[in-house]
Amino acid sequence: MTAKTIRLTTSQALVRFMMAQKTVIDGEVLPIFAGCWAIFGHGNVAGMGEALQAVKDDFPTYRAHNEQGMAHAAIAFAKASFRRRFMACTTSIGPGALNLVTAAGVAHVNRLPVLFLPGDVFASRLPDPVLQQIEDFGDGSVSASDCFRPVSRYFDRIQRPEQLIPALQRTMQVLTDPVDCGPVTLSLCQDVQAEAYDFPEALFAEKVWSPRRPRPDEDELAHAVALLRAAKKPMIIAGGGVLYSEATDELAAFAERHGIPIAVTQAGKSAINERSDLSLGSVGVTGTSAANAFAADSDVVLAVGTRLQDFTTGSWALFRAEDLKIVGLNVATYDAVKHGGIPLVADAKVGLSELSRELGDWRAAGQEARAAEERARWFDAAGKALAASKAELPSDAQVIGAVARARGTDDTIVLCAAGGLPGELHKLWAPTKPGGYHMEYGFSCMGYEIAGGLGAKMARPDKDVVVMVGDGSYMMMNSELATSVMLGQKLTVVLLDNRGYGCINRLQMACGGANFNNLLQDCRQEVVPNIDFVAHARAMGAEAEKVASIADLEAALERTKTNTRTTVIVVDTHPLITTEAGGHWWDVAVPETSERSEVSDARARYEEKRAFQRALN
């Protein structure tokens, strides 16, 4: 019996396939692809452009102003959707495609699903070299899209229409798999985009994708139970995997039943209500004093859904107990065994439930009382940092305090990515609901903020999305401010102007370096920059104003909460002040030799701290 087929171009087949993929959220069947971002050029306008236009009423296409920006929006959408839904991005060949590569790195490091569809050279090679084509003198098969290979979980170059059939199966497996999840690149040769083929109708049958929840191995589960029962000072470190597994209720129930305090990573922040008694707040380099005090002498750490990167572990110098055991409850074995971790390979939601069941009524002794003491000390220090001030140049922390007081933390998503703000927000923002804290700190990509805010708002339109961004990141990428206005997706952007790269300037100083090339005042210049951010934002279609004090900032945040258009509020801040409470050493190599005595002193401090690092990887 001959299978039924339908004759479509490669592009038409690709779009039709995306439209047929579904998911179920809260009992509602939804398209798993929420649409496609597109900037058209000669490498995709005739193929993908025609296919997307034909279904524009059923499958939305969004136009951005920068390819990297639209990819950041797609990535943020997936993150705010807890990886349950995602988007595609299509570009032309050459520079349009390469503009996606940085964003692909963001998605890869943060393990977030997005489908990249860059145009590629002609498969036939008859018109070579076409406009924007990269030529390798020693390899005729190379194109600019090869740059996607190291930053894609799955890469395929579509050189014949029928190659799309197996490629699409692999694409969906990667985008929905809890272990392999990350960016997929299908590089579409531009002539193949327009070629027709008799595709099997079955390829376009509706398919519903549900989260895979691997259960723990019995022996691994028994080992984890034995370690926790024997622990004297256990703690939990919760990562982004808790949010992606939708395991926040299970995490809270586990902690409460067994009396084990919880600290959170950057990706895991908002996995626990930070007002709860067992929440220690953030851990690591940008951690609270409470969390880091526990980490320093914990004998068993239950690491749930975290990849244990250096900011979480204080460059692996945070944990001081000689007999430390790390139980890695993680869906990915790669992460579960880091630093000699005892693996408990499982989905976080299922794994926590089964681990709790096996532990029964066992509770950690004394950890709750200690958590209360450490929390009280931390909240006292944090309150002082967040308090209102009349300083001419307020600190980042004081700005964060104003945002928290004016907008609250219950129905607000605070979003950020790079510079000093992530450290201050990690310490000081206290989310109460899952997803209330949105930080891109795996790749720490400057320029993510505004585009990311747009993607988060599209995923969570009921939330008040507040983007906090420094002037350095704002200047790197701000074009999607205009896109947010065009799409009617209202953001509140709090722009902190410390006149340069204040975070890296502070790091430079801490390493003994002279102030050089970071703050605008320390750069080579003929004219002192005086950027009018308010005028710029207004030119992009946003409402904008500049405030002169923390009191004025609070008033502006209150007043603009009901604005229907993206609003930018600019405030000048101090480039050097940070919250001294909490925190931990971070391994940034200091030169062994230098003419500067400050560098030599910093090197001595560096070697002293490095002696505490655990060498086991």
Side-chain angles (χ1 to χ4, degrees):
M1 181 177 179
T2 304
K4 293 182 178 180
T5 61
I6 180 170
R7 192 160 184 80
L8 299 167
T9 69
T10 302
S11 298
Q12 291 163 356
L14 172 55
V15 172
R16 184 172 293 204
F17 176 87
M18 287 193 290
M19 294 174 66
Q21 310 309 302
K22 308 289 184 179
T23 188
V24 178
I25 299 176
D26 295 331
E28 182 181 2
V29 178
L30 296 170
I32 202 165
F33 283 96
C36 183
W37 289 93
I39 294 180
F40 293 129
H42 75 89
N44 69 337
V45 68
M48 286 298 297
E50 186 276 338
L52 288 166
Q53 187 278 332
V55 296
K56 63 180 182 179
D57 294 332
D58 300 310
F59 186 77
T61 296
Y62 302 101
R63 181 196 180 280
H65 291 83
N66 178 284
E67 290 91 352
Q68 184 184 150
M70 73 183 190
H72 285 327
I75 292 163
F77 178 93
K79 181 178 175 69
S81 301
F82 304 126
R83 303 200 306 199
R84 295 297 302 280
R85 301 183 74 206
F86 33 80
M87 306 179 92
C89 298
T90 181
T91 69
S92 181
I93 76 167
L98 290 180
N99 278 349
L100 293 177
V101 173
T102 297
V106 171
H108 191 282
V109 170
N110 290 286
R111 305 178 187 185
L112 292 168
V114 60
L115 176 57
F116 295 123
L117 302 169
D120 207 332
V121 298
F122 277 70
S124 71
R125 303 190 186 177
L126 292 178
D128 286 7
V130 298
L131 178 66
Q132 300 179 323
Q133 180 173 343
I134 299 294
E135 290 185 275
D136 187 309
F137 295 169
D139 187 344
S141 67
V142 167
S143 81
S145 291
D146 286 294
C147 295
F148 285 90
R149 292 181 184 273
V151 286
S152 297
R153 290 287 180 182
Y154 173 62
F155 174 91
D156 203 345
R157 177 173 286 117
I158 306 302
Q159 297 173 299
R160 293 177 58 88
E162 60 268 35
Q163 291 175 347
L164 191 65
I165 300 170
L168 289 175
Q169 309 305 313
R170 177 66 174 145
T171 291
M172 290 306 300
Q173 184 269 314
V174 171
L175 292 176
T176 61
D177 189 272
V179 177
D180 290 343
C181 189
V184 171
T185 300
L186 298 182
S187 194
L188 306 174
C189 290
Q190 54 187 293
D191 50 344
V192 178
Q193 289 182 42
E195 289 181 18
Y197 179 77
D198 294 322
F199 288 93
E201 280 192 355
L203 182 65
F204 312 113
E206 181 176 296
K207 183 168 183 179
V208 177
W209 297 85
S210 300
R212 183 180 297 114
R213 299 194 180 280
R215 310 190 83 82
D217 173 80
E218 290 184 7
D219 290 340
E220 289 185 354
L221 183 60
H223 194 182
V225 168
L227 288 171
L228 283 169
R229 284 184 175 275
K232 294 180 175 61
K233 295 181 178 180
M235 71 178 296
I236 298 167
I237 295 179
V242 175
L243 291 163
Y244 300 145
S245 175
E246 300 171 295
T248 54
D249 289 343
E250 286 74 13
L251 176 67
F254 183 93
E256 290 167 9
R257 184 179 185 188
H258 304 295
I260 307 179
I262 300 171
V264 292
T265 70
Q266 280 280 14
K269 197 170 174 74
S270 80
I272 185 74
N273 179 347
E274 292 199 10
R275 298 297 175 185
S276 67
D277 292 341
L278 286 167
S279 170
L280 301 171
S282 58
V283 67
V285 175
T286 54
T288 69
S289 59
N292 286 353
F294 268 77
D297 62 5
S298 284
D299 56 347
V300 175
V301 173
L302 177 59
V304 187
T306 170
R307 62 193 184 97
L308 293 174
Q309 56 102 267
D310 70 335
F311 255 64
T312 297
T313 64
S315 296
W316 287 104
L318 176 59
F319 308 107
R320 301 291 176 86
E322 290 185 8
D323 59 346
L324 172 70
K325 301 291 189 298
I326 298 173
V327 177
L329 200 177
N330 204 294
V331 75
T333 307
Y334 181 88
D335 295 314
V337 300
K338 282 179 178 171
H339 274 257
I342 291 89
L344 181 57
V345 179
D347 168 73
K349 190 181 187 78
V350 172
L352 284 167
S353 295
E354 296 202 8
L355 185 58
S356 183
R357 185 194 67 211
E358 294 299 315
L359 285 168
D361 293 331
W362 172 85
R363 289 179 61 81
Q367 292 294 79
E368 284 183 284
R370 185 186 174 198
E373 294 173 2
E374 295 289 357
R375 276 170 51 80
R377 278 193 284 270
W378 168 250
F379 276 117
D380 180 64
K384 292 174 182 176
L386 292 164
S389 165
K390 295 182 179 179
E392 182 178 353
L393 291 177
S395 67
D396 291 354
Q398 289 161 348
V399 174
I400 292 168
V403 174
R405 289 188 294 272
R407 295 294 179 90
T409 60
D410 288 342
D411 294 311
T412 298
I413 296 175
V414 66
L415 187 145
C416 189
L421 276 169
E424 296 290 71
L425 284 163
H426 193 212
K427 282 183 183 180
L428 299 169
W429 190 262
T432 58
K433 296 179 181 178
Y437 179 88
H438 185 125
M439 186 66 61
E440 193 294 284
Y441 210 61
F443 215 44
S444 186
C445 184
M446 295 179 73
Y448 173 89
E449 295 91 341
I450 291 171
L454 171 58
K457 184 66 176 180
M458 293 172 76
R460 308 283 296 277
D462 58 319
K463 296 295 183 181
D464 178 26
V465 177
V466 177
V467 175
M468 298 191 69
V469 60
D471 58 301
S473 269
Y474 181 91
M475 288 296 290
M476 282 201 176
M477 186 173 296
N478 50 56
S479 55
E480 305 325 322
L481 201 65
T483 309
S484 73
V485 175
M486 178 173 70
L487 295 177
Q489 300 288 350
K490 181 249 179 160
L491 309 174
T492 298
V493 179
V494 180
L495 199 169
L496 292 78
D497 184 5
N498 62 19
R499 293 155 301 284
Y501 304 140
C503 174
I504 297 302
N505 184 74
R506 293 192 296 272
L507 180 60
Q508 187 175 53
M509 295 170 65
C511 293
N515 291 11
F516 173 64
N517 207 52
N518 285 312
L519 298 181
L520 294 175
Q521 66 189 27
D522 301 321
C523 300
R524 184 184 294 273
Q525 55 182 254
E526 298 296 328
V527 177
V528 178
N530 185 23
I531 302 164
D532 189 339
F533 290 108
V534 170
H536 179 270
R538 287 175 177 167
M540 302 280 272
E543 298 184 26
E545 62 180 281
K546 185 169 184 176
V547 296
S549 67
I550 289 295
D552 289 346
L553 173 60
E554 276 193 64
L557 286 163
E558 291 277 7
R559 185 177 63 255
T560 60
K561 187 173 183 178
T562 57
N563 282 9
T564 57
R565 179 181 297 186
T566 289
T567 301
V568 177
I569 304 172
V570 183
V571 58
D572 290 337
T573 57
H574 201 290
L576 300 181
I577 301 174
T578 59
T579 303
E580 294 183 4
H584 190 271
W585 174 74
W586 184 37
D587 191 344
V588 177
V590 179
E592 286 194 63
T593 61
S594 173
E595 295 179 355
R596 291 178 55 82
S597 61
E598 296 91 339
V599 173
S600 299
D601 292 342
R603 177 70 190 193
R605 295 192 298 271
Y606 172 71
E607 291 178 351
E608 178 184 342
K609 296 290 188 181
R610 198 167 60 164
F612 291 102
Q613 280 184 304
R614 291 164 52 84
L616 185 64
N617 284 305

